């Protein structure tokens, strides 16, 4: 790696640092609004259609179909539901999912505790609501997300392969049994409304579901900004997967035409909640700021009519769990896109695929990263060899270059001519060290996104002090080793063409890059350390052979 290589690398890291800081700077401020998101109890159990209930979806979603702010959430009886994958609190007021923990994923700061993804207390407001919307002049009622349900017990625990949690609402001859269904080993929650119409009139209604949360993100990291917020998927559109940030929703609500299938979700690093309606039906999706630092993303499903004396059903699904590619792809079309590797997806996906397969053989993600690094070095071995050979020749002829500098340094034009002539005669490519960097940087960045978004890496131990490859090295040992290997590699590079100031900057670069890497995921630093060690070994071997005259 010659001087130009280091400058390009420095530029790449500087731009990455600036971008990360800008993303963090432009992220919505949440601390000032956190207090307003506290959930307060209310005794209002009215089931009359309030203004924040979506309108019926016949053919399309209209602006008045988007819910408006609900200042206070009413509270009823709390139902505790536990399965092998989920620990939920459902409130009879609305039948909402008010709190959710993932039993198979540890909390960020205490892996012995389940990860707390949803809550209606404290700084984080994050709930799943649903109900049935009726036409403005409907003769028969339906329960919306403010209706109060009755339950036979306040605790449900999975003992078999499935668990059903039924709740009943009844009014004016209409009986609705709302049932959440859970399956063993699954993060998918089935939602079913059984409507019994015992009246002499036709009942009609449309199932709507929405995820409501504030912008507070307890998992936020100032050095590794990741997207938190609503996303919508329209399988019919050219741009199928679209993020609608909290800031965007503050200025413009999103209402969409009726589309076949689709889904809406709230995503964050490693985890998501998603509303998955019938994929064969015409559904309408929306996203909107509700005020008071609250945001909703939801779906209104097609209108259903039930004849007098008949029974009908409305159903949907809710996913509350990790962003695992193989799992999400089997739940709904496009749901795996929530694992967003950005513009380098074409590199990140095969990198993860390869890492995953290596891990299935060795059982350790750190070892898998090391083996991946070896494979990448093997793929680019000949390219690196050509580059290092060029730099070794350049270093071998440093005395001649230094002599040219002393003889013609005052006349830059002649000096450049003499230098280029020497390069040509000795088959030296002064830009030879840049190409491997250009090729390696996309791989480096793609791996960065893989480590940042692949839940499989979360809390994955390596060895000794590295207990989580997705976060920074707690003792900064790997970044220091990386800095040392960079310093050693720098010593193998020619420096005759640098002036005194450039040489000082070059000497400072290992320390600058070490500082950068202090906050990078340990898995990424491990990749870079192994890559540097292999590069130094290869470069040292080639340099010694050329200096000994074994190669020309």
């Amino acid at each position: 790696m010659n001087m130009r290589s280091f400058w390009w690398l420095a530029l790449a890291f500087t731009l990455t640092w600036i971008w990360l800081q800008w993303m963090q700077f432009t992220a919505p401020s949440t601390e000032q609004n956190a207090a307003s998101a506290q959930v307060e109890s209310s005794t209002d159990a009215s089931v009359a259609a309030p203004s924040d209930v979506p309108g019926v979806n016949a053919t399309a979603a209209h602006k008045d179909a988007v819910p408006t702010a609900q200042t206070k959430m009413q509270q009823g009886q709390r139902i505790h539901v536990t399965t092998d994958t989920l620990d939920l609190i459902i409130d009879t007021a609305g039948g909402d999912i008010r709190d959710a923990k993932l039993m198979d994923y540890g909390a960020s700061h205490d892996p012995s505790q389940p990860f707390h993804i949803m809550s209606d207390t404290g700084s984080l407001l994050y709930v799943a609501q649903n109900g049935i919307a009726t036409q403005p002049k409907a003769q028969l009622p339906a329960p919306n997300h403010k209706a109060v349900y009755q339950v036979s017990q306040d605790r449900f625990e999975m003992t078999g392969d499935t668990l059903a949690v039924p709740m009943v609402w009844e009014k004016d001859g209409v009986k609705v049994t709302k049932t959440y269904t859970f399956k063993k080993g699954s993060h998918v929650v089935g939602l079913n409304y059984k409507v019994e119409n015992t009246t002499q009139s036709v009942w009609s209604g449309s199932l709507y579901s929405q995820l409501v949360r504030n912008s507070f993100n307890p998992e936020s990291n100032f050095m590794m900004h990741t997207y938190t917020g609503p996303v919508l998927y329209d399988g019919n559109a050219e741009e199928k997967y679209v993020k609608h940030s909290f800031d965007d929703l503050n200025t413009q609500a999103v209402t969409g035409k009726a589309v076949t299938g689709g889904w809406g979700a709230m995503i964050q690093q490693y985890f998501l909640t998603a509303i998955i309606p019938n994929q064969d039906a015409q559904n309408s999706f929306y996203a909107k700021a509700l005020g008071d630092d609250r945001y909703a993303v939801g779906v209104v499903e097609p209108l259903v009519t039930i004849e007098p004396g008949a029974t009908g059903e409305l159903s949907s699904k809710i996913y509350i769990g990790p962003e695992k590619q193989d799992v999400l792809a089997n739940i709904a079309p496009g749901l795996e896109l929530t694992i967003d590797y950005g513009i380098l997806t074409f590199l990140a996906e095969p990198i993860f695929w390869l890492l995953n397969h290596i891990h299935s053989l060795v059982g350790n993600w750190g070892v898998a990263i090391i083996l991946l690094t070896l494979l990448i070095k093997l793929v680019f071995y000949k390219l690196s060899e050509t580059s290092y050979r060029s730099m070794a020749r350049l270093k071998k002829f440093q005395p001649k270059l230094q002599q040219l500098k002393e003889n013609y340094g005052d006349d830059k034009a002649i000096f450049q001519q003499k230098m280029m002539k020497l390069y040509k005669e000795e088959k030296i490519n002064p830009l030879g060290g840049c190409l491997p960097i250009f090729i390696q940087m996309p791989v480096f960045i793609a791996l960065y996104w893989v480590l940042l978004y692949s839940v499989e890496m979360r809390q994955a131990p390596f060895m000794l002090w590295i207990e989580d490859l997705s976060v920074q090295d707690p003792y900064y040992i790997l970044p220091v080793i990386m800095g040392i290997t960079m310093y050693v590699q720098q010593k193998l590079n020619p420096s005759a063409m640098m002036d005194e100031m450039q040489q000082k900057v070059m000497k400072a670069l290992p320390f600058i890059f070490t500082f950068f890497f202090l906050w990078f995921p340990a898995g990424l630093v491990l990749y870079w350390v192994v890559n540097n060690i292999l590069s130094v070994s290869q470069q040292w071997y080639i340099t010694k052979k050329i200096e000994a005259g074994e190669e020309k």
Side-chain angles (χ1 to χ4, degrees):
M1 187 187 298
N2 57 24
M3 183 186 69
R4 290 181 178 85
S5 304
F6 273 109
W7 285 121
W8 280 111
L9 190 58
L11 176 62
F13 272 102
T14 301
L15 291 176
T16 302
W17 175 277
I18 293 173
W19 177 76
L20 290 170
Q21 292 302 310
W22 173 252
M23 293 295 290
Q24 181 66 21
F25 175 76
T26 56
S29 176
T30 59
E31 294 296 339
Q32 61 184 0
N33 296 318
S36 65
Q38 301 284 340
V39 177
E40 301 179 26
S41 62
S42 170
T43 58
D44 179 16
S46 172
V47 296
S51 60
D52 60 348
V53 174
V56 173
N57 171 23
T59 58
H62 304 284
K63 290 183 179 180
D64 59 2
V66 182
T68 56
Q70 180 181 341
T71 305
K72 295 181 180 180
M73 295 184 69
Q74 64 198 68
Q75 217 175 70
Q77 183 180 356
R78 310 285 272 191
I79 306 168
H80 190 189
V81 181
T82 56
T83 74
D84 59 330
T85 59
L86 296 168
D87 186 335
L88 304 180
I89 296 294
I90 299 173
D91 200 301
T92 56
D96 305 339
I97 297 177
R98 299 285 184 90
D99 192 279
K101 298 175 183 176
L102 305 181
M103 301 298 289
D104 43 355
Y105 289 88
S108 299
H109 303 294
D110 185 2
S112 64
Q113 298 297 316
F115 181 76
H116 204 163
I117 185 172
M118 303 175 73
S119 176
D120 67 347
T121 59
S123 297
L124 176 65
L125 170 69
Y126 192 176
V127 300
Q129 299 176 328
N130 49 75
I132 299 176
T134 57
Q135 294 173 324
K137 296 182 180 180
Q139 295 181 348
L140 299 178
N144 55 54
H145 66 273
K146 290 186 176 181
V148 177
Y149 291 85
Q150 302 298 317
V151 291
S152 60
Q153 60 192 76
D154 61 5
R155 189 173 188 88
F156 292 82
E157 185 173 354
M158 176 175 282
T159 56
D161 292 334
T162 61
L163 173 65
V165 180
M167 297 175 285
V168 177
W169 173 93
E170 193 169 2
K171 185 178 181 181
D172 297 341
V174 178
K175 181 180 180 181
V176 176
T177 303
K178 175 180 179 177
T179 303
Y180 288 107
T181 303
F182 306 87
K183 293 183 179 180
K184 188 175 182 180
S186 175
H187 290 89
V188 177
V189 181
L191 171 65
N192 179 268
Y193 282 81
K194 179 182 177 182
V195 181
E196 299 175 60
N197 180 12
T198 62
T199 72
Q200 299 302 311
S201 302
V202 176
W203 179 96
S204 63
S206 185
L207 172 62
Y208 69 91
S209 304
Q210 62 185 19
L211 301 166
V212 177
R213 72 164 291 165
N214 60 9
S215 58
F216 177 68
N217 181 11
E219 302 295 311
S220 178
N221 185 310
F222 86 100
M223 265 297 298
M224 296 182 292
H225 175 78
T226 57
Y227 178 80
T228 297
V231 295
L232 291 173
Y233 178 83
D234 176 359
N236 302 328
E238 182 176 347
E239 190 177 3
K240 299 181 178 181
Y241 175 80
V242 182
K243 297 176 181 177
H244 300 282
S245 70
F246 296 135
D247 282 346
D248 291 342
L249 296 181
N250 283 331
T251 57
Q252 181 67 52
V254 177
T255 57
K257 64 182 185 302
V259 300
T260 302
W263 47 262
M266 286 283 187
I267 68 172
Q268 64 192 72
Q269 187 183 23
Y270 300 128
F271 303 102
L272 81 154
T273 58
I275 299 168
I276 307 159
N278 186 338
Q279 294 299 290
D280 296 323
Q282 293 287 303
N283 306 300
S284 296
F285 295 87
Y286 60 86
K288 187 185 179 183
L290 303 179
D292 204 22
D293 189 40
R294 299 184 182 197
Y295 304 85
V297 60
V299 57
V300 184
E301 300 189 39
L303 179 69
V304 173
T305 59
I306 300 175
E307 297 297 322
T311 299
E313 295 187 355
L314 302 86
S315 61
S316 186
K317 295 179 181 178
I318 305 170
Y319 179 82
I320 307 172
E323 295 175 340
K324 296 190 72 172
Q325 292 186 24
D326 54 343
V327 173
L328 298 180
N330 293 324
I331 295 175
L335 196 58
E336 73 278 4
L337 295 177
T338 53
I339 307 170
D340 190 359
Y341 296 138
I343 60 174
L344 292 176
T345 296
F346 70 98
L347 276 178
E349 285 186 346
I351 285 176
F352 176 77
W353 179 88
L354 186 56
L355 263 178
N356 196 32
H357 278 70
I358 295 174
H359 175 262
S360 65
L361 297 175
V362 299
N364 184 295
W365 285 106
V367 175
I369 290 173
I370 293 173
L371 294 177
L372 173 70
T373 310
L374 286 168
L375 290 176
I376 292 175
K377 289 299 291 183
L378 286 174
V379 169
F380 298 115
Y381 181 84
K382 295 302 294 184
L383 182 63
S384 299
E385 183 182 49
T386 302
S387 171
Y388 295 147
R389 187 176 288 113
S390 178
M391 286 189 289
R393 289 196 183 102
L394 186 60
K395 184 175 183 180
K396 181 178 180 180
F397 291 99
Q398 274 194 110
K400 290 186 178 182
L401 290 171
Q402 186 64 38
Q403 188 63 47
L404 287 177
K405 190 174 182 181
E406 293 175 0
N407 294 340
Y408 307 103
D410 294 334
D411 191 329
K412 292 186 177 180
I414 296 178
F415 172 68
Q416 289 290 333
Q417 291 177 3
K418 295 289 185 181
M419 184 175 65
M420 295 308 295
K421 182 180 179 182
L422 177 63
Y423 285 165
K424 187 175 181 180
E425 291 174 350
E426 302 298 339
K427 299 179 180 180
I428 298 172
N429 180 6
L431 298 177
C434 297
L435 189 57
I437 292 297
F438 282 125
I439 292 177
Q440 185 172 303
M441 282 308 298
V443 174
F444 172 85
I445 297 172
L447 184 59
Y448 171 83
W449 291 117
V450 167
L451 292 172
L452 208 57
Y453 278 103
S454 298
V455 70
E456 291 85 353
M457 301 286 180
R458 183 179 182 270
Q459 296 180 343
F462 173 40
M463 60 184 297
L464 301 177
W465 72 97
I466 303 296
E467 297 180 353
D468 188 348
L469 288 164
S470 67
V471 300
Q472 66 192 56
D473 184 335
Y475 302 113
Y476 308 116
I477 295 174
L478 284 178
V480 170
I481 295 175
M482 190 280 304
I484 293 172
T485 60
M486 190 176 229
Y487 177 80
V488 173
Q489 189 172 27
Q490 189 183 94
K491 287 296 183 180
L492 293 172
N493 295 323
S495 60
M497 302 312 301
M498 291 184 283
D499 58 31
E500 185 177 351
M501 178 58 69
Q502 290 172 334
Q503 290 183 21
K504 288 182 179 180
V505 172
M506 293 297 289
K507 289 179 181 179
L509 283 179
F511 299 97
I512 295 173
F513 287 179
T514 299
F515 176 78
F516 276 126
F517 275 87
L518 292 178
W519 290 276
F520 275 60
L524 190 67
V525 185
L526 176 63
Y527 163 79
W528 203 254
V529 166
V530 175
N531 182 75
N532 274 7
I533 292 173
L534 294 173
S535 297
V536 166
S537 301
Q538 185 182 10
Q539 188 173 355
W540 178 85
Y541 175 74
I542 292 173
T543 300
K544 288 301 179 183
K545 288 185 69 176
I546 289 179
E547 288 179 348
E550 297 178 24
E551 289 190 16
K552 295 184 180 180

